Amino acid sequence: MGVRILFLGPLRDLAGQTECEVAAPLGWDGLLAAVNPAVAEQLREARVNLACAGKVLADKTQLSARDGDEVALLPPVSGG
């Protein structure tokens, strides 16, 4: 089954895909290794967040995704 990674907004453009699946379990270092270098660079930015299993993580470096989880990469939101 694995972990499904969703690329949203501008991160989708950088990734060149809308989603991918990787083996579980998936932690922060594994996530950085699973995505291309341009996406990994963006993920290191404080303004980019992660959601795992529908919950936004307070500390994205504590990612601990299990088999069947969905990890959404959340770009910064702008607007007014």
Side-chain angles (χ1 to χ4, degrees):
M1 188 173 219
V3 176
R4 192 169 107 178
I5 302 172
L6 300 177
F7 301 93
L8 303 174
L11 297 174
R12 180 180 337 133
D13 297 333
L14 282 175
Q17 58 187 344
T18 57
E19 63 182 67
C20 69
E21 191 162 317
V22 298
L26 181 67
W28 174 247
D29 291 333
L31 175 62
L32 294 178
V35 299
N36 73 40
V39 173
E41 182 179 329
Q42 289 297 305
L43 288 175
R44 290 183 180 95
E45 296 288 328
R47 59 195 183 95
V48 176
N49 292 300
L50 294 181
C52 181
K55 297 178 183 173
V56 177
L57 303 177
D59 180 356
K60 60 188 171 189
T61 65
Q62 297 303 308
L63 173 66
S64 181
R66 299 176 184 199
D67 203 30
D69 282 348
E70 182 177 270
V71 174
L73 311 184
L74 308 170
V77 177
S78 64

